Amino acid sequence: MGPRSGRGLYLGRRAAALLAALLLALLAALLALAALHGRCRREAPPSPAPAAPGPAAPPGPAPASGSSGRRLPRHLLPLHYDLELWPRVRPGEAGPFAFSGQVNITVRCRQDTDAAVLHSSGLRSGAAAVRGPLPEAGAAVEVVGLRQEEGEVAVLELRGRLRAGRRYVLQLGFQGLLKEDLDGLFLTRYTDQGRSSMLIASQLEPTYARTVYPCFDEPAMKATFNIRIVHDPSYVALSNMPAIDVSEMKDENGSLWTVTTFNTSLKMPTYLTAFVICNFDYVTRTERGNEIRIWARKEAVKNGYVDYALSITGPIFSFLEDLFNISYPLPKTDLVALPDFGAGAMENWGLMTFQESSLMYLPSDKFTSRKAMIAIIVSHEIGHQWFGNLVTMNWWNDLWLKEGLASYFECLGAMFVEPKLSLDKIFYDHVVQPVLREDNEIGVRSLSESEDKFKGSFSLMALFDSITYNKGASITWMLSGFLSEKLFFRALTLYLEEFSFSNANQDDLWSHIQMVVDSQDEVKLPAPVKQIMDSWTCQNGFPVLTLNLTTGTISQEQFLNKKNENSTDSYNNTWIIPISWMRNGSSQPLMWLDKSNKVFPEMQVSESEYDWILLNVNISGYYRVNYDQLNLKRLVHLLENDPKSIPAVSRFQLIDDVFALTQFGYIQIETALELTKYLAREDELFIWNMVLLNLVPENLESTLKNYEVYPLLKKYLLKRMLPIYHYYAGFIRQNVDALEGDYFAQVYLEKLFETACWLGLQDCLNLSSELYAKWMDNPEYKIPFFIRRTVCCYGISMGSEKEWNFAWEMYNHTDSTKEDKDILLSAMSCAKESWLLYRYLQYGLSDTLFSSNCTSIIILYVVTKDIGHRIAWEFVTENWPLLGERYGKELLHDVLKVMGRFVNTDVQIQELQVFYNVTLEEDERVATTLLLELTKSENMERRELLIKVASWLQKNVDD
């Protein structure tokens, strides 16, 4: 399944972590609302709950959001499912809708039992029977009762006993409600060619199969499936395997239905079963006998929006087949672009599903960043066909075995079909660096946990996070690096061959890698593979290495906030660490640190300032490096004189490490700032993006303008930014199409230009005004998408009512995309005239113009702007009763919390506290008061930090 923090120099350390978590939680909530209800659309009232579909046992409790539920006893082992699903949906009907079905599960009894226990959640059970033992004709075991128990479990009570070693068939009818919640079997509505339509799809990972049909819903309980879907004749039905028969039947009212029967599946877990019933078109091609079809809305297919995805899917399959030397075992693969899909993408065997935006590329779009995103997502899901589908983890505690490995191979597959992309830059920037920012707190879990930790109501969805995906990919990258790709891929082939159509845990992977290591003499390891890798997967966090050049000593400790160093784990905070390094520009043999500290005589340096050491070259290891002052001074000198002598990814890592070390109290801020002196000679946008996110965090831009550091920072940064700014500004003015192959320009130019305008660079302000005026003169003109947000913001900021009114007009234009609307929604808060901002907030109150979630977003946008904070504050306090009545307290409380993030003085904090005390309930005041206390702490820490920054800038601003 596809997954996918703020950072900054000026955030207090302890306060920053908690405040950032609150902000991210709010943004996630708002984004979820936008995804579910449509960005700023009027929402339809919820449909009434449908009546029960028929008499039978009461339904089980509603599914607990992907909870692990109760583990099943191992008395019965499923071998095969015969499954019929019948969603009672007709085009044009309003609903509510239900579905019914029948499942016959062939099981092998492993231990005598008088009950059959399996998963079922939210279903109403129909008739139940048990046939067998097989193959005795007519044999049966009487079912005396069927009850639902806690833990999403159904129990068939039997009068006789099922005998060990014999086979039986459990026969169960079931009925359920077809909801629109994007989990289990769900219905979604969309528009195609101007007409409203519906489709039915499924998302069963991790534990939603039990909400669709009674089953043994655990990854190790694999079986084969014969699936049959009954549906309206105007729809086509898809499942994991090719359809082998399409027939007709009539229901009890004589109405005609189509029955699509599918071929027998391969052995697979329940979470990979998949169903789509739709009225889509498709494009197709065949690659090495694999029939590939990409399904989407008719309009999208006609316009060629899925042609790019079709062109890369087959080559990625072939690339991975050749890499593993294992053929894809299915005869067909369907990829379906769903207009609304919560998971982003899902790797169901033979029937992959995607959020529409993850699969569609407009042929008129010349730029590669969109292609790169599609290539990465498609590669991720194709990688799962081997890691997850062919070989499945025993239990969810080793989820990283599929998600981490798929996240590693997503980059390799994307680079294969888009060779202009830089693998090491993208991998570190998109995969490693974000998780290093999260995997540094004591409470963060380890990559692999014992099964005992995932019981009962534990939400398995919590495992689908950056630790599983990004850290899993990062340690895979490191493993591949110290083994060599040749040995690593050879070991993976052995692993896949051994456990095909079966299950494995991480020790199985380690043992097969060990086999390959033992069979050769080229690569020598300091310890068994399991011992090395368990130090990375079985404890949380990662190490920081401290290098002393005078003695050649390297020590390690867990990278944690210096104020919170207490940690308990079985490895005593030590890792077995591969150290790639270079000396004076020359690569050196790999070293290993296998204890808390160790002397490496090779790393002692001479007195020459040209004698320097660089560790973790190109981020080959999952750790940070803290150099002593001697080496840092030499690296600063090197960067100022010959920055290209350090590889680009290592420059990124070096600067990112020092800012992270500063934030966590390992080094002083002045040390980090020294490494920015060279930036006038830095031409890599992905490095500039990281620097600017540290020096000018997006959520503190308006705050920084209130301190004396701003004019110093402006002078210091602009002097260094001008070369790279003018380089790209030239392209934008004269030949923007020349950037179509520059991935990082398309991803990160926005931050560079936005910062240049924020710092008041006149050329940036003029360029924004020029491009915005060009758009106003010709609404068909397209502002380059990668600076569109900045241009719209500063075009309005530098303009007057005329520019604002044009944005409002374009926002309400029927042809505006969701992305365009979001950009304009933000840009309209950039106005410099107070009355325009107040009018904008008043517009937000109109229930005919905006929905409730959009109103809160408008307030949030305004509150973050230079002059907007006070205006938003006054607006909220004046309109609190109306806002509370119309939109409910929940969203408004979120707004108040975020407003607390942008207070800058203790007087403002006191004012906010008084308002909280008047408007909030007692329990709500506790949480907001805590937030304000953290804000006060952060303000004190920020003032102290900015005094140091200003002092350093005063001494260095003219260098």
Side-chain angles (χ1 to χ4, degrees), residues 727-894:
Y727 175 79
Y728 283 105
F731 282 112
I732 289 169
R733 281 194 167 101
Q734 298 166 18
N735 185 19
V736 71
D737 288 350
L739 298 177
E740 67 181 50
D742 190 337
Y743 172 78
F744 283 109
Q746 295 161 46
V747 175
Y748 292 138
L749 203 51
E750 186 88 68
K751 180 62 179 175
L752 183 81
F753 270 69
E754 190 272 337
T755 304
C757 285
W758 176 77
L759 291 169
L761 180 62
Q762 195 60 49
D763 187 77
C764 182
L765 298 173
N766 291 343
L767 180 57
S768 296
S769 294
E770 290 167 17
L771 296 179
Y772 193 82
K774 193 173 179 180
W775 185 33
M776 289 177 66
D777 291 340
N778 176 19
E780 298 301 314
Y781 168 71
K782 296 292 185 183
I783 299 171
F785 78 91
F786 40 82
I787 57 168
R788 191 178 301 160
R789 189 174 293 269
T790 296
V791 168
C792 289
C793 176
Y794 284 93
I796 292 173
S797 174
M798 298 293 291
S800 60
E801 181 183 7
K802 178 182 175 183
E803 283 73 18
W804 196 97
N805 287 343
F806 177 76
W808 176 250
E809 179 186 342
M810 296 309 294
Y811 176 85
N812 289 291
H813 200 279
T814 54
D815 291 339
S816 294
T817 66
K818 287 182 181 179
E819 183 181 13
D820 291 335
K821 286 181 180 291
D822 181 62
I823 288 172
L824 290 169
L825 202 69
S826 171
M828 285 185 287
S829 70
C830 297
K832 289 298 185 185
E833 297 185 44
S834 299
W835 72 272
L836 283 174
L837 289 180
Y838 192 80
R839 185 180 74 178
Y840 187 31
L841 291 167
Q842 288 289 345
Y843 282 3
L845 279 180
S846 169
D847 55 5
T848 60
L849 296 174
F850 294 115
S851 64
S852 58
N853 61 304
C854 196
T855 304
S856 64
I857 291 169
I858 291 172
I859 297 171
L860 295 179
Y861 278 140
V862 173
V863 80
T864 61
K865 299 302 186 293
D866 293 347
I867 67 168
H869 175 80
R870 194 71 205 173
I871 295 168
W873 166 249
E874 292 174 355
F875 174 80
V876 169
T877 54
E878 289 173 5
N879 294 281
W880 181 261
L882 176 61
L883 290 167
E885 178 185 350
R886 183 173 295 173
Y887 303 121
K889 287 187 175 182
E890 193 170 321
L891 281 177
L892 290 169
H893 292 167
D894 288 337

Side-chain angles (χ1 to χ4, degrees), residues 68 146 172 182 291 298 420 427 429 547 586 634 793 823:
S68 53
L146 172 60
L172 298 107
L182 307 182
E291 183 190 8
K298 296 176 184 293
K420 289 183 180 179
F427 192 82
D429 186 63
L547 170 62
S586 299
R634 293 180 180 181
C793 176
I823 288 172

Side-chain angles (χ1 to χ4, degrees), residues 452-471:
D452 294 339
K453 292 195 176 182
F454 306 104
K455 289 185 174 178
S457 62
F458 178 89
S459 176
L460 294 175
M461 292 305 298
L463 296 176
F464 292 82
D465 62 3
S466 66
I467 298 298
T468 293
Y469 287 78
N470 294 36
K471 185 175 183 177

Side-chain angles (χ1 to χ4, degrees), residues 368-387:
T368 58
S369 58
R370 183 80 181 160
K371 283 185 176 180
M373 184 272 287
I374 294 170
I376 287 170
I377 293 173
V378 170
S379 295
H380 182 97
E381 305 311 324
I382 294 176
H384 275 312
Q385 308 308 298
W386 287 268
F387 298 101

Side-chain angles (χ1 to χ4, degrees), residues 78 110 142 170 514 622 624 689 703 870 907:
R110 303 174 67 186
E142 184 181 351
L170 313 181
Q514 190 69 55
Y622 185 68
R624 293 197 183 277
N689 184 71
T703 300
R870 194 71 205 173
V907 172

Side-chain angles (χ1 to χ4, degrees), residues 209-222:
R210 65 191 67 175
T211 71
V212 181
Y213 59 98
C215 57
F216 294 83
D217 199 12
E218 297 187 8
M221 291 187 160
K222 290 187 168 184

Side-chain angles (χ1 to χ4, degrees), residues 518-688:
D518 292 343
S519 68
Q520 53 81 55
D521 300 318
E522 228 175 283
V523 175
K524 301 289 186 184
L525 301 180
V529 172
K530 175 177 168 55
Q531 188 179 344
I532 295 170
M533 296 310 298
D534 278 1
S535 74
W536 297 94
T537 62
C538 294
Q539 66 178 1
N540 71 323
F542 59 88
V544 54
L545 305 192
T546 299
L547 170 62
N548 184 319
L549 284 189
T550 305
T551 62
T553 303
I554 299 180
S555 60
Q556 65 163 294
E557 61 180 305
Q558 186 165 359
F559 183 70
L560 290 168
N561 190 319
K562 280 294 190 179
K563 296 178 181 178
N564 298 300
E565 288 187 337
N566 297 325
S567 179
T568 57
D569 54 61
S570 59
Y571 289 86
N572 196 28
N573 293 328
T574 60
W575 289 257
I576 302 176
I577 305 170
I579 303 175
S580 60
W581 64 295
M582 65 166 50
R583 183 169 187 164
N584 306 333
S586 299
S587 295
Q588 305 295 316
L590 187 73
M591 300 286 192
W592 287 88
L593 179 63
D594 54 3
K595 48 190 175 183
S596 59
N597 62 79
K598 190 174 180 179
V599 176
F600 295 90
E602 307 93 323
M603 294 191 189
Q604 293 177 348
V605 297
S606 66
E607 295 183 0
S608 168
E609 66 177 15
Y610 299 101
D611 196 5
W612 53 270
I613 299 287
L614 189 74
L615 303 187
N616 199 16
V617 178
N618 286 333
I619 312 41
S620 54
Y622 185 68
Y623 51 87
R624 293 197 183 277
V625 179
N626 183 13
Y627 296 102
D628 62 8
Q629 287 298 315
L630 174 62
N631 197 50
L632 274 175
K633 186 176 179 181
R634 293 180 180 181
L635 290 173
V636 168
H637 181 266
L638 179 66
L639 286 171
E640 290 180 334
N641 290 279
D642 185 16
K644 295 298 177 75
S645 60
I646 297 178
V649 173
S650 290
R651 297 200 302 276
F652 183 108
Q653 178 221 5
L654 177 63
I655 300 171
D656 187 52
D657 278 357
V658 295
F659 278 112
L661 289 163
T662 297
Q663 185 180 353
F664 273 50
Y666 288 80
I667 62 176
Q668 294 300 309
I669 183 59
E670 293 87 348
T671 302
L673 291 171
E674 288 289 330
L675 281 168
T676 67
K677 286 182 174 180
Y678 89 100
L679 283 171
R681 302 187 65 180
E682 182 56 74
D683 58 4
E684 292 281 359
L685 266 178
F686 82 113
I687 295 175
W688 265 106

